[in-house]
Amino acid sequence: MILGIAGHVDHGKTALVKALTGVDTDRLAEERRRGLTIELGFAPLTLPGGQMVSIVDVPGHEKFVPTMLSGCAGMDLVVLAIAADQGPMPQTREHLAILSLLGLKGGVIALTRADLGIKRGVEEQVRALVKGTFLESAPIIPTSVVTGEGLDELKRALAELVQKTPERSDRGDYRLHVDRVFSVAGSGTVVTGTLTGGSLRRGDRVRLWPGEKMARVRGLQSHGTDQEELAPGSRAAVNLAGVDRGEVSRGDTLAPAEGLTLTRRLDVALKVLTQAPYAVKNNSTLHLHHGGRALMCRCILLGRDRLEPGEAGFAQLRLDQPLAALRGDRFVVRFFSPVVTVGGGVILDLEPPAKGRMDPARLTRLAALAAGKELPRLAAPTQEAPPPPAPETDPTLEEKLCQIYRAAGLEPPANEEVERAFPGQETACRRAGRALADKGVLTPLSPKVRAWGESCLEAQSRMKARFGTGMFTLAQARDMLGVSRKYALLLLEYWDRVRITQKIGEGRRFL
């Protein structure tokens, strides 16, 4: 089973893992220098009775919530770490909300740093925090990595929890969301992740979704031990034959060639968190987190125009890039700005119609799917008149836009500025811009700015050739690409969102 260690930054998660397992999961020099977890950490833990679980230590800093989300894929149980001398903090609440949205069923609460004294009323604060969540009845155990207090009790509580939790069984095809990629001399490309769905065997052919690249499993390991086969629920290191390091990235998914559905539209059941700072309005721009991927999407609410905090409903998420998924997968969404977790839910339909937002028959079908019932797919929205076809774009207008964006390169005008250049054709211009973005000709750097796609790819190639997987700053990117700070930041933030780069402190590196 996969055991997550979650909680606010500096609440002792990594120190707790080391005390339990002997493994320091902060492997990067930057992590050790700054004293905080940036990347995911992994360690095996043998519990009383001989059960072995795989620990995933996730970052607690708010800047690394996307990395935390990628580590949650496949978790079965969690230890929520809360400093005894401080009590619940902002990322305690956000991590608990994320874990609840992703459907976790059990865990234990560790009051860390108990040797510094337990803050008055902290247990009451913790009980109030977890009331109504999957941790409502979880044991609260004071612990200290300095004195050893509570560590044995924590292990016993985890052993009891594991015994009560049904083991995973093969539920179909294997799936592995990639959370780390590296090369090993003499062996080639290695990816790691949590295996779900079914077993993976040495020699299996795998597809690197959402792309079409195929590879062969040359070797398998779990926590440094060679394996011929790994069962679902395993932490896996997979040595891939037939694929270069640059052809796979964190956020990709290993699955059979026909094992997933590739889509840019999802109909979902969406729950807005009670503590969300804003309502979700129709046509809002959100960040979608699924497995190890982070994408931008537009949220088209179905049957209503807004969801208030604490409300649930149906929505269609229209993605800026293809997503490989299965019906029943869980996801989390965060606001575009400010970037905070707003809610999440379950994918109900991977091939939904684009029209019929208020169609009662569509809402009835989604309600049935959410309840686990299968209904026939609707041939078309039930309306008094059939929906009109999507208007075609003007090829001449598309070519004019291409000329503008090609000439602008990495310093394009804002979408509204482009539209104003075509008086009386603003709507057609907006439609043509979206069509070019859908074709990959233009790259949506933000909801308000698109750039010439070839210029973005060329910039990526130049930057990778110069920095490889090493760190670089915004100023270095600006100077190398010959653009203003504004446009360098737009490009780098886009790369961050689509998992081409990762921001670490004041720098970045390519994944």
Side-chain angles (χ1 to χ4, degrees):
M1 290 188 176
I2 305 298
L3 172 68
I5 309 289
H8 192 78
V9 65
D10 198 32
H11 275 203
K13 299 185 299 297
T14 301
L16 181 61
V17 174
K18 186 174 182 180
L20 292 172
T21 68
V23 176
D24 184 353
T25 56
D26 278 352
R27 54 185 172 80
L28 300 180
E30 178 80 359
E31 292 177 314
R32 292 172 179 168
R33 181 180 69 80
R34 298 175 64 185
L36 59 83
T37 297
I38 295 172
E39 283 284 5
L40 302 172
F42 310 102
L45 172 63
T46 302
L47 298 171
Q51 309 107 312
M52 205 279 280
V53 296
S54 294
I55 288 182
V56 179
D57 177 18
V58 302
H61 197 285
E62 62 178 339
K63 290 184 179 179
F64 305 120
V65 169
T67 303
M68 178 267 178
L69 277 156
S70 72
C72 290
M75 278 186 186
D76 299 293
L77 306 168
V78 69
V79 172
L80 185 64
I82 303 174
D85 59 326
Q86 288 189 348
M89 299 292 280
Q91 262 52 64
T92 314
R93 296 179 176 88
E94 186 166 21
H95 282 201
L96 177 61
I98 287 170
L99 295 166
S100 298
L101 291 168
L102 292 176
L104 265 72
K105 301 299 183 185
V108 177
I109 301 165
L111 290 183
T112 58
R113 307 196 317 212
D115 54 288
L116 299 179
I118 298 178
K119 179 182 176 182
R120 184 176 180 181
V122 72
E123 291 200 23
E124 289 77 9
Q125 293 176 21
V126 172
R127 282 296 175 212
L129 172 69
V130 300
K131 186 176 181 181
T133 75
F134 71 100
L135 290 179
E136 183 170 16
S137 301
I140 300 176
I141 303 174
T143 64
S144 169
V145 301
V146 176
T147 67
E149 176 188 354
L151 298 182
D152 288 340
E153 184 181 354
L154 178 59
K155 289 181 181 179
R156 288 194 295 271
L158 289 171
E160 292 177 9
L161 188 60
V162 168
Q163 288 177 343
K164 295 176 183 176
T165 304
E167 290 189 1
R168 294 171 183 252
S169 59
D170 286 4
R171 293 170 293 182
D173 293 327
Y174 62 82
R175 187 162 40 152
L176 184 143
H177 298 295
V178 175
D179 52 40
R180 189 180 170 211
V181 184
F182 55 94
S183 297
V184 175
S187 296
T189 303
V190 177
V191 301
T192 68
T194 298
L195 185 63
T196 61
S199 296
L200 183 63
R201 301 168 183 83
R202 193 162 67 88
D204 279 350
R205 295 281 295 171
V206 301
R207 177 175 168 181
L208 306 178
W209 296 81
E212 297 182 356
K213 181 72 175 179
M214 297 295 295
R216 178 176 59 83
V217 177
R218 175 185 285 153
L220 288 171
Q221 284 190 351
S222 185
H223 296 298
T225 302
D226 290 335
Q227 305 284 345
E228 286 293 313
E229 179 178 345
L230 290 176
S234 302
R235 276 300 305 174
V238 185
N239 182 199
L240 296 173
V243 59
D244 295 332
R245 165 67 180 83
E247 294 179 296
V248 58
S249 303
R250 182 161 71 183
D252 289 350
T253 302
L254 301 190
E258 305 297 328
L260 303 177
T261 298
L262 202 59
T263 184
R264 294 182 74 151
R265 286 202 307 267
L266 310 166
D267 275 6
V268 302
L270 176 63
K271 163 74 174 178
V272 179
L273 293 172
T274 302
Q275 65 267 36
Y278 311 104
V280 174
K281 300 177 183 178
N282 182 50
N283 213 29
S284 298
T285 300
L286 302 174
H287 295 276
L288 169 72
H289 295 267
H290 169 272
R293 294 202 79 196
L295 307 173
M296 286 175 58
C297 68
R298 283 193 301 130
C299 179
I300 308 301
L301 294 179
L302 305 178
R304 59 196 305 172
D305 292 321
R306 60 192 288 137
L307 283 175
E308 299 292 344
E311 291 186 334
F314 300 117
Q316 180 169 109
L317 304 182
R318 297 180 181 175
L319 314 178
D320 70 337
Q321 296 180 71
L323 178 71
L326 291 174
R327 202 176 79 190
D329 285 353
R330 289 185 173 266
F331 65 91
V332 170
V333 288
R334 309 185 82 210
F335 278 119
F336 178 74
S337 180
V339 184
V340 294
T341 302
V342 57
V346 179
I347 296 174
L348 301 178
D349 192 347
L350 290 152
E351 299 175 302
K355 302 291 183 179
R357 187 169 80 87
M358 295 293 185
D359 181 24
R362 181 177 185 178
L363 298 175
T364 298
R365 179 174 185 271
L366 290 175
L369 291 174
K373 301 174 184 178
E374 185 63 61
L375 288 182
R377 183 175 301 280
L378 301 178
T382 55
Q383 299 175 341
E384 292 182 2
E392 296 182 0
T393 59
D394 181 350
T396 303
L397 188 55
E398 285 192 11
E399 180 54 36
K400 290 179 180 179
L401 291 183
C402 286
Q403 292 174 6
I404 292 173
Y405 283 106
R406 188 186 295 113
L410 294 176
E411 295 188 308
N415 298 345
E416 289 185 357
E417 185 179 344
V418 174
E419 292 161 13
R420 286 197 298 269
F422 297 87
Q425 293 182 284
E426 290 88 346
T427 300
C429 181
R430 188 177 307 119
R431 190 161 55 239
R434 288 176 178 171
L436 289 172
D438 288 342
K439 296 173 185 177
V441 176
L442 300 181
T443 297
L445 299 184
S446 79
K448 297 182 179 180
V449 180
R450 302 184 184 102
W452 186 242
E454 291 182 4
S455 298
C456 296
L457 290 174
E458 181 188 2
Q460 182 180 335
S461 298
R462 289 172 57 197
M463 292 285 290
K464 274 191 172 182
R466 168 64 178 84
F467 297 105
T469 57
M471 297 289 292
F472 62 90
T473 65
L474 171 59
Q476 287 175 310
R478 176 200 63 199
D479 294 343
M480 182 168 183
L481 298 175
V483 297
S484 68
R485 184 183 186 278
K486 167 188 169 181
Y487 284 104
L489 183 59
L490 263 179
L491 183 62
L492 295 183
E493 288 181 340
Y494 168 74
W495 285 348
D496 291 343
R497 287 194 299 273
V498 300
R499 312 305 296 166
I500 291 172
T501 56
Q502 179 184 23
K503 193 172 188 299
I504 302 175
E506 296 304 314
R508 285 175 172 81
R509 65 180 178 86
F510 283 98
L511 294 171

